Amino acid sequence: MAYYKHPEFLQTNIHAIFDTLLEPSTEAPQAGIYCCEACAHEIGIAKGHKLPPQNHHQHAAGAGPIRWRLIVAATH
């Protein structure tokens, strides 16, 4: 889970980009913090860089496949 101290630096946004699940090794469409949908592992990544590959981290049996979701977007 991403944390923050100063709420004045964040605002709510309902853009569909936050609903998109991305495959491992996919190019990040937006800079920010991405979270693995199955295990909640988080990474920070720049726009255009590739999300970690399938073997970046392993899940417990039955946790499901690695799928990345943007949870905090960096706009500048």
Side-chain angles (χ1 to χ4, degrees):
M1 173 176 298
Y3 297 101
Y4 64 94
K5 181 175 182 179
H6 302 283
E8 65 271 18
F9 295 115
L10 297 173
Q11 68 182 37
T12 301
N13 187 305
I14 59 169
H15 193 283
I17 198 166
F18 294 102
D19 300 322
T20 304
L21 295 178
L22 300 167
E23 298 288 329
S25 300
T26 301
E27 191 174 291
Q30 176 70 45
I33 300 172
Y34 287 77
C35 182
C36 178
E37 190 73 4
C39 71
H41 179 80
E42 296 170 357
I43 56 133
I45 194 162
K47 180 179 180 178
H49 288 217
K50 289 195 175 191
L51 293 164
Q54 184 69 33
N55 64 355
H56 175 259
H57 69 281
Q58 300 300 315
H59 290 164
I66 296 171
R67 299 288 182 270
W68 298 104
R69 177 188 301 270
L70 178 66
I71 60 170
V72 178
T75 58
H76 293 78

